[in-house]
Amino acid sequence: MDFCSVTVWFNPDDLCVQNILSYRALCKKCFIVDNSSGDNSALAAKIPNAVYIPNGGNLGIAAALNAGCRRAAEEGFLACMTMDQDSSWDAARLKEYFDICEKSFSDTAVSFCPSAAYAAPTSLLGDAKRFLRRAIKGRGGAPAAASTDSRTSTDSRASTDSGSPTVTAASAGKTKMPCCITSGNVILLSAWQKVGGFYEPFFIDEVDHEFCFRLNEAGYEIFKFDSCLMNHVLGKPKKTFYPCVSHHSGPRLYYIFRNAFFLKKMHPAFYKRQNYSKQIRQRVAGLLFNCKISQLRYLLRAWLDFKRGKLGPLGK
């Protein structure tokens, strides 16, 4: 099976080119959908098998992914790997991943994702708690525990590398998942077409989850291969006073909150299963205790737009 990639660009730089070059040799074509307002065709030309698709402006992550998947389907590809512009692969790991995906596709298993390690944010409060735990254990005669803050962590859809030199379908640690992130997702394009593609009114944020929820509702299955590790960047960690789930800007928080509210309405069972209510409370607590009061207005606007039924980009 020939694989292709669909990567969304937004104001890319040379590092974005290098990231695609890390996996382009294993993809017959690399479709680049550019949401930038400027022309980045010169950057795309540095990638031998790239197909550059300019949108002429930011149409949102969902519209860009749909444009790339649509082009891939038109050119006869059966499966594609969607990628963020800041993600990359080791060639050997990607070959193992593609081999496992090809052997694992079935009538129901249509979407796969790798593990992805990333740097996690830390907090002064968390540091204090760990210091006290070590001090208490030290007084009790037990050896002080090593700090759990290794500066790398994984979310509910990721795990660290197993260290195995060769990964096979049997040893990959296949785990059934309710959803997966966009980057590294290998999807059968027939399933993408059947569920109607990515939901463009969301614009950005929760696009990957909403798509996966519809795959589940259609009877499809999603699996993560624990031993296939992709290089994924979620931004530079920042230390705050109170544990903070993320360090997004106000407008980005708007999309996170608004689309989460819509997810509850559109997919209530999955919303509850993924404990979105807790995630929202954690984000709000992080804003309050870290004195980011000004960003709370975006939460209010997200709620008001949800009540109005407003989707699409902010401010339009």
Side-chain angles (χ1 to χ4, degrees):
M1 175 185 290
D2 289 327
F3 287 91
C4 67
S5 63
V6 173
T7 307
V8 179
W9 272 2
F10 183 70
N11 299 330
D13 54 20
D14 284 328
L15 180 58
C16 297
V17 173
Q18 293 303 315
N19 287 337
I20 296 180
L21 288 174
S22 73
Y23 53 84
R24 73 95 186 167
L26 291 166
C27 297
K28 189 171 183 180
K29 287 190 178 180
C30 295
F31 298 98
I32 301 172
V33 186
D34 194 358
N35 266 342
S36 311
S37 55
D39 182 5
N40 293 296
S41 57
L43 280 177
K46 297 179 180 180
I47 304 164
N49 55 340
V51 177
Y52 182 66
I53 307 171
N55 279 339
N58 191 359
L59 303 185
I61 186 72
L65 288 172
N66 282 337
C69 290
R70 190 178 305 114
R71 181 68 174 270
E74 290 171 353
E75 298 202 14
F77 287 97
L78 300 179
C80 75
M81 176 178 66
T82 58
M83 291 290 291
D84 291 343
Q85 66 180 18
D86 53 7
S87 299
S88 62
W89 278 95
D90 173 82
R93 293 184 189 276
L94 180 59
K95 185 179 186 309
E96 292 169 347
Y97 180 51
F98 277 169
D99 288 344
I100 296 169
C101 288
E102 184 172 2
K103 295 173 183 176
S104 301
F105 279 128
S106 69
D107 291 339
T108 55
V110 299
S111 177
F112 304 113
C113 55
S115 297
Y118 65 88
T122 60
S123 67
L124 295 175
L125 186 60
D127 289 347
K129 287 181 177 179
R130 284 187 287 272
F131 175 80
L132 288 174
R133 283 198 296 266
R134 290 196 297 268
I136 292 172
K137 288 182 179 181
R139 287 181 181 179
S147 171
T148 57
D149 178 20
S150 64
R151 304 295 290 175
T152 58
S153 179
T154 55
D155 63 9
S156 60
R157 298 158 287 179
S159 67
T160 55
D161 183 17
S162 68
S164 175
T166 303
V167 182
T168 64
S171 67
K174 186 169 71 173
T175 304
K176 188 174 181 179
M177 304 293 291
C179 54
C180 64
I181 60 175
T182 298
S183 200
N185 181 20
V186 171
I187 177 75
L188 274 182
L189 289 170
S190 58
W192 166 80
Q193 291 174 322
K194 183 174 181 179
V195 301
F198 296 93
Y199 188 57
E200 297 186 11
F202 267 14
F203 197 68
I204 58 173
D205 283 305
E206 301 303 335
V207 169
D208 45 8
H209 286 178
E210 196 281 330
F211 175 72
C212 291
F213 294 163
R214 277 186 285 122
L215 285 179
N216 278 269
E217 289 169 348
Y220 292 123
E221 294 178 315
I222 302 164
F223 292 94
K224 175 169 71 73
F225 297 115
D226 302 307
S227 298
C228 298
L229 187 66
M230 176 186 67
N231 303 315
H232 184 55
V233 179
L234 288 181
K236 185 179 179 180
K238 299 178 182 179
K239 183 166 288 190
T240 54
F241 169 74
Y242 184 86
C244 189
V245 176
S246 61
H247 298 279
H248 294 303
S249 65
R252 185 71 183 273
L253 287 171
Y254 164 83
Y255 290 109
I256 291 172
F257 286 127
R258 185 199 68 181
N259 293 349
F261 297 147
F262 275 102
L263 275 179
K264 183 177 182 179
K265 180 179 180 181
M266 297 164 62
H267 309 282
F270 290 100
Y271 181 94
K272 183 176 181 181
R273 185 184 305 172
Q274 292 301 101
N275 208 355
Y276 269 88
S277 295
K278 180 180 179 181
Q279 295 177 40
I280 291 175
R281 290 195 300 269
Q282 288 175 334
R283 290 185 187 277
V284 173
L287 294 176
L288 287 171
F289 287 102
N290 291 312
C291 299
K292 296 184 177 182
I293 308 301
S294 62
Q295 292 190 348
L296 286 174
R297 71 180 187 273
Y298 288 96
L299 170 58
L300 176 60
R301 184 166 182 180
W303 173 253
L304 291 175
D305 281 352
F306 164 68
K307 298 300 289 185
R308 297 173 185 139
K310 180 186 178 303
L311 285 164
L314 175 63
K316 292 186 178 181

